[in-house]
Amino acid sequence: MAKRDFYEVLGVSKNASDAEIKKAYRKAAMQYHPDKFSGASEKEKKNAEEKFKEINEAYQILSDENKKAQYDRFGHAAFENGGGAGGFNGNFSGGFEDLGDIFNSFFGGGGGFGGFGSSTSYERMAQPGEDLRYNLELTLEEVAKGVEKTLKYKRRGKCKKCNGSGAEPGTQLKTCSKCNGSGHIKVTQNSFFGAIQTVKECDVCHGKGKIPEKKCKSCHGTGLETEVIEKTVKIPAGLEDGQKVRLAGMGNISSEGGDNGDLYIFIKVKKHPLFERDGVDIVCEVPITFAQATLGAEIEIPTLNGKKTIKIPAGTQNDKLFRLKGEGIKHPRSPYTGDEIIKVKIEVPVNLSNEQEELLRRFDESLKEKNHKENKSFLNKLKDFFHK
């Protein structure tokens, strides 16, 4: 059967860049890797094998600048009769440095690939400690200006008795006999290609290469213990309910010598009895009497900074807004501070006596159209609407 065009095999155009060719190869190799077909029928396994060989042969040519130039000029003929690649023969050396990435995807680590003439060095990356969560409740007053809080919490820390070594004081660490101090062990797995050797973390020393001659009685050889941390931190102004503050390195200590985890402070803002928050502004509804709204008055109002007095003009209507500059919440990323918005609610009197009702009727009858401008406007609109 005639060979398929190598560009077609990888699914790229002839103008594809090296990066595009490499990306297409890795995708195709992952798709047809024979180990993915271990439970398939013999026919499917055979098909996957052929596809995988075809993909690797195509990549061997197209990833090499000189071979690609020959292929673009002469096609498959450039490599027939000993002219170049000579077909795929199962040897992965020469142009297949990316195959290690494919194997890592299946077997979870580097290592020598037995019969394939390729190897990947094992480099153990120490894992950081776990992150911790701290729930912190703040008042609106604290959020408005920022506040210092002393946090007290438990975390995993270094054992004070053995100083984190895991060895009983007076004893030493010794080389792990299972991994001979390397911190990793080689594991051989059988696959379609034969024996494949991978590298994994040693399960005895957990990658450290050393184990205690005698385990510390306090931490049982782990080198870790629970410790209580007390730390004063500055909480910035302007935080919203549900936001979090990150304290780097304040989480659990790593058991592998890596960086500490982080501490995340989750903010909960308590509901205020007087104020509602609107971004960096705060809103306060203030009831006023009918007489105050009609005649005008000076009233005392609450703010986050204490009491203030504002003037209510005569003839103030319900839901009228008054703004107090700079009495709100400090913006978290600028010097700007929000405002306090006063929303007046005119309270209608209830439980009137007979005398009060009579006085109110007489007062209402004394009013003229000029005293009810809104009412007059509405009645005129209503009249026009029904006489269209």
Side-chain angles (χ1 to χ4, degrees):
M1 183 180 293
K3 287 186 177 182
R4 284 202 300 156
D5 180 79
F6 285 152
Y7 291 101
E8 180 186 344
V9 170
L10 295 183
V12 295
S13 69
K14 289 190 176 182
N15 297 322
S17 65
D18 291 342
E20 290 172 329
I21 291 172
K22 182 176 181 179
K23 182 178 179 180
Y25 159 71
R26 296 183 66 178
K27 180 180 178 181
M30 286 287 289
Q31 182 179 355
Y32 290 104
H33 194 289
D35 281 335
K36 292 185 68 175
F37 294 83
S38 58
S41 65
E42 289 301 321
K43 183 177 180 181
E44 289 174 323
K45 288 181 182 179
K46 184 67 176 176
N47 182 60
E49 177 188 349
E50 294 300 325
K51 288 277 189 183
F52 194 66
K53 288 180 179 180
E54 184 182 45
I55 290 163
N56 279 289
E57 183 181 11
Y59 182 67
Q60 188 176 8
I61 300 302
L62 299 185
S63 63
D64 185 290
E65 185 178 351
N66 293 329
K67 291 178 182 178
K68 183 175 181 293
Q70 293 179 54
Y71 179 74
D72 289 343
R73 187 174 182 183
F74 302 109
H76 293 297
F79 306 103
E80 294 175 354
N81 301 319
F88 180 76
N89 59 13
N91 182 5
F92 284 86
S93 60
F96 288 95
E97 66 279 358
D98 293 305
L99 194 61
D101 294 333
I102 304 298
F103 275 81
N104 286 341
S105 299
F106 284 97
F107 301 109
F113 298 108
F116 301 103
S118 175
S119 64
T120 303
S121 63
Y122 177 88
E123 183 179 355
R124 179 177 173 273
M125 299 293 290
Q127 294 298 310
E130 294 91 352
D131 296 333
L132 295 177
R133 173 176 180 145
Y134 190 100
N135 296 324
L136 181 62
E137 189 173 59
L138 300 175
T139 64
L140 191 60
E141 287 84 354
E142 291 172 330
V143 169
K145 297 181 175 63
V147 66
E148 283 192 350
K149 287 285 186 179
T150 299
L151 310 182
K152 190 173 182 180
Y153 64 98
K154 294 179 181 180
R155 75 172 183 186
R156 188 178 66 205
K158 185 187 294 185
C159 175
K160 295 178 177 58
K161 184 177 181 181
C162 66
N163 197 31
S165 70
E168 184 71 15
T171 66
Q172 296 181 340
L173 295 173
K174 64 179 182 180
T175 301
C176 176
S177 59
K178 185 166 185 177
C179 66
N180 294 319
S182 66
H184 60 273
I185 54 176
K186 294 179 180 179
V187 179
T188 302
Q189 294 174 284
N190 293 320
S191 76
F192 168 80
F193 298 103
I196 298 178
Q197 200 172 69
T198 60
V199 179
K200 295 184 178 181
E201 182 183 277
C202 176
D203 58 346
V204 174
C205 67
H206 303 291
K208 296 178 180 178
K210 299 281 187 180
I211 57 175
E213 288 181 342
K214 186 177 181 181
K215 292 182 179 180
C216 172
K217 293 178 181 178
S218 179
C219 65
H220 306 290
T222 64
L224 306 169
E225 67 178 6
T226 299
E227 61 182 5
V228 177
I229 298 296
E230 194 167 324
K231 183 175 178 63
T232 300
V233 298
K234 187 173 182 179
I235 305 298
L239 294 180
E240 300 273 1
D241 190 76
Q243 278 191 289
K244 57 188 177 184
V245 177
R246 174 176 170 263
L247 298 182
M250 293 303 297
N252 281 336
I253 289 176
S254 170
S255 61
E256 303 178 2
D259 295 332
N260 283 20
D262 300 329
L263 177 68
Y264 286 90
I265 304 172
F266 282 74
I267 302 299
K268 173 67 177 176
V269 183
K270 293 175 65 175
K271 185 174 178 62
H272 200 280
L274 295 174
F275 303 112
E276 291 288 338
R277 182 174 180 177
D278 183 15
V280 292
D281 294 333
I282 58 172
V283 181
C284 182
E285 285 194 358
V286 178
I288 60 174
T289 68
F290 173 73
Q292 287 174 323
T294 304
L295 303 175
E298 285 190 352
I299 63 171
E300 195 174 73
I301 57 140
T303 74
L304 293 174
N305 300 303
K307 296 178 181 179
K308 301 280 184 181
T309 300
I310 65 170
K311 185 175 181 180
I312 303 295
T316 293
Q317 300 299 308
N318 194 48
D319 290 338
K320 173 73 175 176
L321 302 180
F322 299 88
R323 185 178 292 269
L324 298 179
K325 288 286 187 182
E327 294 291 344
I329 297 170
K330 187 180 183 305
H331 195 282
R333 292 179 297 279
S334 79
Y336 172 74
T337 299
D339 305 328
E340 178 176 341
I341 299 167
I342 303 297
K343 185 176 184 180
V344 296
K345 306 294 289 187
I346 300 174
E347 186 177 15
V348 177
V350 295
N351 301 321
L352 298 179
S353 67
N354 292 336
E355 182 182 358
Q356 289 170 329
E357 288 180 0
E358 180 60 27
L359 288 171
L360 188 58
R361 286 192 187 95
R362 289 167 58 188
F363 170 72
D364 187 57
E365 290 169 357
S366 70
L367 297 175
K368 307 297 182 184
E369 286 185 350
K370 66 178 182 179
N371 302 121
H372 288 124
K373 293 181 179 180
E374 292 279 341
N375 184 265
K376 179 183 177 182
S377 176
F378 175 75
L379 290 175
N380 288 336
K381 291 177 183 178
L382 194 63
K383 184 179 178 180
D384 291 341
F385 178 78
F386 285 111
H387 290 82
K388 285 182 178 179

